[in-house]
Amino acid sequence: MAQADLDTTISALQGGLTSIPAEAALANIESWEAQLKDAAPEIASALGELKSQLASGNASGIAQALKQVGGKTAEAAASAGGEAGTKAQQLGQMLTQAGNSIS
């Protein structure tokens, strides 16, 4: 995971879900999905589900998908080291919290 991408995503989430324009959210998800498709296919798959739920506008589906991506990100971060691992852990927690705030 690229440090700049982690920082950008964390920064966007810190402003709250509703502060992120839909196009920017989808572009961010697609970028992560492309980066992780080989290295972490389970996260990439969860991101694909999040993208589908965002397109459908189903709030409970979005909440569930955010929590799924958050959990998988946190799991992956636990085995990563250094600052990237710490940032990924933070991102995982933020995604899970965002999902909880919807449901």
Side-chain angles (χ1 to χ4, degrees), residues 28-34 36 41-54 65 68-69 73 95:
N28 191 284
I29 291 167
E30 289 171 355
S31 172
W32 278 112
E33 197 175 17
L36 297 172
E42 66 286 348
I43 297 174
S45 176
L47 286 166
E49 178 61 22
L50 175 57
K51 199 168 57 174
S52 294
Q53 293 300 326
L54 285 169
Q68 183 180 28
V69 173
T73 301
L95 291 164

Side-chain angles (χ1 to χ4, degrees), residues 4-26:
D5 292 337
L6 284 168
D7 290 339
T8 300
T9 303
I10 289 169
S11 179
L13 285 171
Q14 286 173 332
L17 287 179
T18 57
S19 71
I20 305 169
E23 308 81 43
L26 289 172

Side-chain angles (χ1 to χ4, degrees), residues 36-102:
L36 297 172
K37 69 179 178 184
D38 294 327
E42 66 286 348
I43 297 174
S45 176
L47 286 166
E49 178 61 22
L50 175 57
K51 199 168 57 174
S52 294
Q53 293 300 326
L54 285 169
S56 77
N58 177 358
S60 64
I62 294 168
Q64 187 61 37
L66 281 166
K67 290 186 270 189
Q68 183 180 28
V69 173
K72 291 187 179 303
T73 301
E75 285 176 25
S79 63
E83 189 174 352
T86 301
K87 295 276 187 178
Q89 182 68 37
Q90 180 184 3
L91 177 58
Q93 291 170 346
M94 291 177 80
L95 291 164
T96 300
Q97 289 171 351
N100 288 333
S101 74
I102 294 173

